[in-house]
Amino acid sequence: MIVYLMCFILFLTGMYGVLSQRNLIKIVIGLSVMEISIFLFMALIGYIDAGVAPIVTQTGEQLIYVDPLPQAMVLTAIVIGLATNAMLLAIAIRLYKKYKTFDVRKINQLKG
Amino acid sequence: MTSIVKTVTRLVVGVIFIYGIYIILHGHLTPGGGFAGGAIIAGAFILLVLAYGSDMLKLKAKEAGSSVMESLAILAFLLMAVVAFFLGTKVFFHNYLPKGIIGDLISAGVIPLYNIAVGIEVAAALFTIFLALVIFKEESK
Amino acid sequence: MESFLPLYMVTPLAAAFLIPLVGRVFSAFARTITPLVFLLLLILGIHYLLSGISSPLTYEVGGWQPVNGIPIAIYLVLDGFSTILLITINLIAFLAAFYSISYMKKYTAENNYYTLFCLMVAGMNGVVLTGDLFNLYVFLEIAAISSYALVAFGVEKTELEASFKYQVLGGMASLLILLAIGLLYWATSTLNITDISHILMIQGDNKIILFIQILLITGFGLKAAMVPFHAWLPDAHSSAPSPISAMLSGILIKAIGVYVLFRLLFNMFTLTYEIALTITVLAVLSMVIGGILAIGQQDYKRLLAYSSISQVGYILLAMGIGMMVLAQNGAKEIAALAILGGLFHLINHAVFKGLMFMNAGAVEHATGIRDLAKLGGLAKWLPLTSATSFTGSMAISGIPPFSGFFSKLIIIIAAIQANYYLLAFLAALVSIITLAYFLKLQKNIFYATFPEHIERVRKIPFTMKCSMVMLAILCLAMSLLIIPGIRDIVLIPAVEVLID
């Protein structure tokens, strides 16, 4: 149980980072931390004690496999996370070029 | 870059590339597959650009090339899925090739082909993202 | 029949990746293929609708049959609710793509624009069709990431800022949704929506399920811009190019926000009064606060964006009333009426908000100004835009015989029948507020004196006019959906899907 709680604490740490930091890059890092905590959590869901990697072999012996579905989900989610991060960083460096700063308090053209 | 980086890159880059291809081709037998292998191959390309550098014109040509590869790989993937539809089964992503024996390199029907398409796609996409960021940085200097 | 369902994802994806290849050689390729793809899908959707869907069509991707009654394939499910969503998505996408042909000429990198457009629609079609939770997340992210890129398409200061804000909040929403999906898999060991609903029915009440529901409401509430979570919407929707604003406000917040939320709350979880009450409170907040904030806006597209928040509040309110009645074991007819009103307003809002954003794009194209204080007297120069804008304003504020009147009327009647008099009063009040700010908009742009600083008013190209006129006609024609014969074909199957 404690490992699941650790995942949740990591998630909250990331969320704190997103909400409290003023630097664009640090906000992106916060989002990544949240993301990775969920990946960890999902990989843990599929874990079974003494299970082996779910690869079918020819020998035909009855092994206990860990659940492969959460692993597939995590892999897909990592790909999506890569796209999100690339997009965020691309926007962040373009913002830096326009405003000459990473500080969110100074990037405030839109209001109301 | 310094000559140490250049020499090490020259020695290592081929091995990294071959390792990526190995991971892609054995995707249906061992952990790994298209995404992991593609990321490794993209790493080899990125290492080359970082170590040897390149002028803007070459970078732009490379970016155009890799984004064409990316689109081609996705289209190949879609084509394989659509071909299944027309082979009489009327099911997308149907595995229409013979399955072979478990554990052989050439087995599991279409899955290795999908893995190859995904590998090319991921390698091209990651390299394109890297090049786009580098080009943007060079331009804004 | 059902074997054509994957076309909804395959054709836009194929178009999206053919464009960068063929578009290099033929510059007109992107402009032609994009509207054609959506037209094809629209016709396919209308065909599905007219052939009548008595039982849901399901399709197993890859041909994997269930083992021991446990579904292992990714399912695509088409029922009444998803059909009307598919038709609305592809209709607005077709008109917006047709509108873009002239509008996007002033931007560079047109090919990238059309690629992202196709990807966004492919994602939304996927979200609406899928019967598998994780597949839903993947398609949702495809739609969301392409919309982030499209918001930043102008790469000016404001666009980039809006896109970053949208991405951070949208990213948090996606992660909350992913966490909820992980927890659901933990609790039920399956990802198929129908399968989960069976298991949850057996398991009964559970604290973890309540937590998952709250996570989902927060996540999809962020995507649908309900009021405590709305901060990104006015920035993002007003900074995007106008056809994209029409897509985002008209379709995206409904397809990946409202649709998914109600699909899951009605068809997957057992309805509880607490959750229904939460939805209703959020709905009232969105409706009232969105409306009040819209009055003070000075920017054309920002005003429309705030109005979107308020109108989505109406849809949520109707659904919330339906849920509250169902959860208290009230009369099913009242719940059905409320849900009917909500669905009707959802389609209507897609049409008239699409139209209003296209009008904003036309005015911006003609004068280059979006500030209401600096515009005026354009009715003489842009008679057609003035007429379509008038139609849209009347429809959105609920003046008979336009479509908005009927949907709002149904919602108010349902609220009164369910004895929620306060909700009915608020819905009527916000309707008056809506009329107020749209009259202000209409007066400031088209009827006040023509300001001197506008040097010339450019002509509106044909494709833009054509899309606007078609949507304006639809604003009137949608009223026909209220006639019993047509209602039974279009709206009733969707209502039945949600009630059972």
Side-chain angles (χ1 to χ4, degrees), chain B residues 48-50 52-63 131 134-135 138-139:
Chain B
L48 273 180
V49 174
L50 283 180
Y52 288 93
S54 200
D55 54 19
M56 278 295 285
L57 280 175
K58 273 190 188 163
L59 283 180
K60 279 197 169 158
K62 274 182 190 154
E63 196 204 8
L131 284 179
V134 170
I135 289 172
E138 294 289 321
E139 269 177 352

Side-chain angles (χ1 to χ4, degrees), chain C residues 209-228:
Chain C
I209 300 298
L210 191 67
F211 182 58
I212 292 169
Q213 275 171 308
I214 290 166
L215 279 179
L216 284 176
I217 289 177
T218 321
F220 289 113
L222 264 163
K223 295 269 182 203
M226 295 179 193
V227 148

Side-chain angles (χ1 to χ4, degrees), chain A residues 74-89:
Chain A
V74 169
L75 193 59
T76 319
I78 286 174
V79 180
I80 294 170
L82 177 101
T84 330
N85 273 348
M87 190 69 216
L88 269 167
L89 289 173

Side-chain angles (χ1 to χ4, degrees), chain B:
Chain B
M1 280 288 165
T2 59
S3 61
I4 299 175
V5 175
K6 282 186 176 172
T7 317
V8 172
T9 305
R10 203 158 51 218
L11 289 174
V12 159
V13 83
V15 181
I16 297 177
F17 196 80
I18 300 282
Y19 183 61
I21 291 177
Y22 164 81
I23 296 269
I24 293 177
L25 288 184
H26 287 70
H28 54 297
L29 302 173
T30 54
F35 180 73
I40 292 169
I41 290 181
F45 282 122
I46 291 171
L47 190 59
L48 273 180
V49 174
L50 283 180
Y52 288 93
S54 200
D55 54 19
M56 278 295 285
L57 280 175
K58 273 190 188 163
L59 283 180
K60 279 197 169 158
K62 274 182 190 154
E63 196 204 8
S66 67
S67 73
V68 166
M69 281 304 285
E70 191 194 343
S71 302
L72 277 177
I74 294 186
L75 286 175
F77 190 95
L78 272 176
L79 195 69
M80 277 187 272
V82 174
V83 162
F85 188 79
F86 289 110
L87 279 179
T89 52
K90 294 219 171 176
V91 170
F92 280 94
F93 291 109
H94 184 69
N95 199 340
Y96 45 87
L97 290 179
K99 309 282 188 303
I101 309 157
I102 293 175
D104 278 9
L105 184 59
I106 299 175
S107 64
V110 225
I111 295 174
L113 296 179
Y114 283 138
N115 261 333
I116 292 170
V118 171
I120 298 172
E121 148 67 21
V122 170
L126 283 177
F127 193 46
T128 317
I129 291 171
F130 171 75
L131 284 179
L133 292 179
V134 170
I135 289 172
F136 182 76
K137 186 182 155 233
E138 294 289 321
E139 269 177 352
S140 57
K141 259 181 192 167

Side-chain angles (χ1 to χ4, degrees), chain C residues 315-337:
Chain C
I315 303 170
L316 295 168
L317 176 72
M319 297 296 193
I321 292 173
M323 283 168 81
M324 286 210 286
V325 173
L326 281 179
Q328 286 173 317
N329 292 323
K332 272 205 170 174
E333 296 79 44
I334 299 172
L337 191 69

Side-chain angles (χ1 to χ4, degrees), chain C residues 137-354:
Chain C
Y137 171 74
V138 173
F139 279 117
L140 187 139
E141 282 293 87
I142 292 177
I145 292 175
S146 21
S147 73
Y148 303 152
L150 281 170
V151 166
F153 200 73
V155 290
E156 288 306 315
K157 278 186 172 182
T158 50
E159 278 108 351
L160 291 170
E161 188 190 335
S163 175
F164 196 85
K165 209 187 251 182
Y166 181 22
Q167 279 187 56
V168 171
L169 287 173
M172 294 239 297
S174 301
L175 292 173
L176 289 173
I177 293 165
L178 186 62
L179 180 62
I181 291 173
L183 283 168
L184 259 179
Y185 183 75
W186 195 20
T188 62
S189 311
T190 173
L191 287 172
N192 188 292
I193 292 178
T194 18
D195 212 28
I196 291 179
S197 78
H198 290 315
I199 292 172
L200 288 185
M201 207 132 29
I202 299 164
Q203 275 187 353
D205 232 10
N206 200 334
K207 284 280 179 297
I208 192 96
I209 300 298
L210 191 67
F211 182 58
I212 292 169
Q213 275 171 308
I214 290 166
L215 279 179
L216 284 176
I217 289 177
T218 321
F220 289 113
L222 264 163
K223 295 269 182 203
M226 295 179 193
V227 148
F229 319 116
H230 70 287
W232 58 272
L233 185 136
D235 298 343
H237 288 197
S238 59
S239 302
S242 286
I244 294 307
S245 306
M247 286 295 289
L248 294 178
S249 248
I251 296 295
L252 191 84
I253 52 173
K254 304 196 187 70
I256 71 174
V258 177
Y259 167 82
V260 188
L261 187 58
F262 290 115
R263 164 71 70 191
L264 298 184
L265 286 182
F266 275 99
N267 290 20
M268 199 168 79
F269 296 107
T270 14
L271 289 177
T272 50
Y273 184 71
E274 291 79 14
I275 295 293
L277 194 66
T278 318
I279 294 279
T280 316
V281 169
L282 290 177
V284 172
L285 281 177
S286 316
M287 198 169 75
V288 176
I289 295 179
I292 290 171
L293 286 176
I295 297 178
Q297 297 305 316
Q298 274 307 313
D299 181 307
Y300 196 165
K301 286 169 87 175
R302 240 183 141 71
L303 189 148
L304 296 178
Y306 273 109
S307 142
S308 276
I309 299 175
S310 163
Q311 300 298 317
V312 166
Y314 272 101
I315 303 170
L316 295 168
L317 176 72
M319 297 296 193
I321 292 173
M323 283 168 81
M324 286 210 286
V325 173
L326 281 179
Q328 286 173 317
N329 292 323
K332 272 205 170 174
E333 296 79 44
I334 299 172
L337 191 69
I339 293 169
L340 179 93
L343 288 176
F344 192 18
H345 200 67
L346 189 151
I347 311 173
N348 284 341
H349 181 246
V351 171
F352 46 60
K353 194 45 67 67

